[in-house]
């Protein structure tokens, strides 16, 4: 079959909703139950799409948290963490696929930081609960703000095991991010045992404890510093549900 004939056939298939364009040059065959909608959910094809783009990835932030049962409502966007340069964000069937950059992913994603999850028509790679917790704090602005992150963390901690964290996590999460997470877990969510495990991991990783603002974007003059986590408390942090 020639290229022109192939393109014509794909065009007809898309017009009749037997197929859909997920990305330029990347087509989906639509099962009968999705032909009325005209597109598969991103979870059903993101793995194949990222393979097509030749990029490492994991489903991240609020979407990963939702997979572990930690979400107050369904995330509006579908967030994928990958290496730079980022693919452009796109909207398919009222769902926006957003990409966030992780410099450390340039050489791939360690198996210890992700889980492979089966979907109805394939599989996708999702960040582990512990990596998700760190990422939510690091990318708080892209996750609805730090107060919303605290609300999500309250539920996500049930799926986390900080007693056996893989050493490679220290390479993928800045020390300041781990310090903020520890402060939130201990001082805001009142989970001292969990926080102690995270503190032990930080000490074992030999990452330097430097003063870091709780909210990097806010000023920090004359603010109290938490002696354990070296966090400058420049914001009165409460979960969304407490507001």
């Amino acid at each position: 079959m020639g290229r022109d004939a192939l393109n014509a056939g794909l065009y007809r298939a898309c017009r009749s909703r037997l197929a859909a364009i997920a990305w330029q040059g990347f087509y989906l065959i639509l099962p009968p139950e999705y032909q009325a909608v005209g597109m598969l959910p991103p979870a059903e094809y993101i793995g194949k799409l990222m393979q097509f783009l030749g990029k490492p990835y994991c489903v991240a932030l609020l979407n990963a948290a939702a997979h572990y049962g930690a979400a107050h409502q369904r995330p509006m966007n579908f967030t994928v963490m990958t290496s730079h340069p980022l693919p452009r964000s796109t909207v398919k069937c009222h769902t926006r696929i957003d990409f966030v950059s992780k410099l450390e992913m340039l050489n791939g994603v360690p198996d210890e930081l992700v889980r492979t999850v089966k979907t109805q028509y394939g599989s996708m790679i999702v960040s582990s609960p512990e990596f998700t917790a760190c990422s939510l704090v690091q990318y708080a602005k892209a996750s609805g703000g730090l107060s919303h992150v605290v609300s999500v963390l309250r539920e996500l901690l049930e799926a986390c095991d900080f007693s056996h964290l893989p050493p490679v996590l220290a390479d993928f999460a800045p020390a300041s991010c781990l310090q903020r997470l520890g402060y939130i877990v201990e001082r805001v969510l009142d989970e001292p045992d969990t926080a102690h495990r995270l503190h032990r991991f930080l000490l074992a990783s030999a990452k330097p404890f430097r003063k870091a603002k709780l909210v990097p974007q806010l000023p920090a003059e004359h603010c109290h510093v938490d002696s354990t986590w070296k966090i400058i408390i420049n914001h009165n942090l409460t979960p969304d549900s407490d507001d």
Side-chain angles (χ1 to χ4, degrees):
M1 180 183 291
R3 180 176 293 274
D4 290 343
L6 177 62
N7 288 337
L10 287 171
Y11 175 77
R12 289 193 298 270
C14 291
R15 282 288 301 269
S16 60
R17 296 198 171 188
L18 298 175
I21 304 174
W23 202 269
Q24 184 175 2
F26 184 81
Y27 291 80
L28 304 171
I29 297 174
L30 297 180
E33 62 267 35
Y34 287 105
Q35 288 173 6
V37 179
M39 179 58 66
L40 285 170
E44 296 296 342
Y45 64 85
I46 193 63
K48 293 294 185 183
L49 174 60
M50 298 308 288
Q51 184 180 3
F52 171 77
L53 296 175
K55 298 187 73 65
Y57 85 99
C58 63
V59 177
L61 304 184
L62 296 177
N63 297 93
H67 171 73
Y68 299 114
H72 296 285
Q73 61 269 339
R74 181 183 175 185
M76 299 295 292
N77 300 344
F78 190 84
T79 305
V80 178
M81 186 179 290
T82 186
S83 60
H84 195 79
L86 289 179
R88 68 189 184 280
S89 295
T90 184
V91 178
K92 295 295 180 184
C93 199
H94 310 296
T95 299
R96 181 180 176 89
I97 303 177
D98 281 328
F99 297 92
V100 295
S101 177
K102 190 72 172 171
L103 179 64
E104 294 83 358
M105 279 191 175
L106 192 59
N107 296 318
V109 190
D111 291 341
E112 300 95 323
L113 299 183
V114 294
R115 295 182 180 178
T116 299
V117 176
K118 288 192 176 297
T119 63
Q120 187 177 3
Y121 294 105
S123 64
M124 64 178 177
I125 297 173
V126 181
S127 62
S128 69
E130 299 80 17
F131 187 32
T132 300
C134 295
S135 301
L136 285 168
V137 173
Q138 183 176 3
Y139 297 89
K141 188 174 180 181
S143 304
L146 199 55
S147 290
H148 183 62
V149 166
V150 171
S151 297
V152 175
L153 285 174
R154 174 179 280 166
E155 299 177 359
L156 181 61
L157 288 181
E158 295 181 13
C160 292
D161 181 6
F162 290 117
S163 60
H164 297 94
L165 290 173
V168 71
L169 179 63
D171 298 325
F172 275 69
S176 58
C177 163
L178 293 168
Q179 289 169 235
R180 290 187 188 98
L181 177 59
Y183 171 83
I184 291 169
V185 170
E186 184 168 18
R187 310 299 189 204
V188 182
L189 297 178
D190 193 26
E191 296 283 352
D193 292 339
T194 302
H196 177 68
R197 297 184 190 103
L198 188 57
H199 194 267
R200 239 181 0 200
F201 173 78
L202 260 170
L203 292 177
S205 71
K207 299 191 88 166
F209 266 51
R210 297 190 177 96
K211 290 181 182 178
K213 293 190 289 186
L214 180 58
V215 182
Q217 299 84 3
L218 296 180
E221 291 81 7
H222 312 296
C223 293
H224 175 69
V225 178
D226 184 273
S227 58
T228 301
W229 298 100
K230 299 291 187 270
I231 289 296
I232 304 169
I233 308 168
N234 62 340
H235 181 63
N236 182 23
L237 190 59
T238 56
D240 276 351
S241 56
D242 292 346
D243 291 344

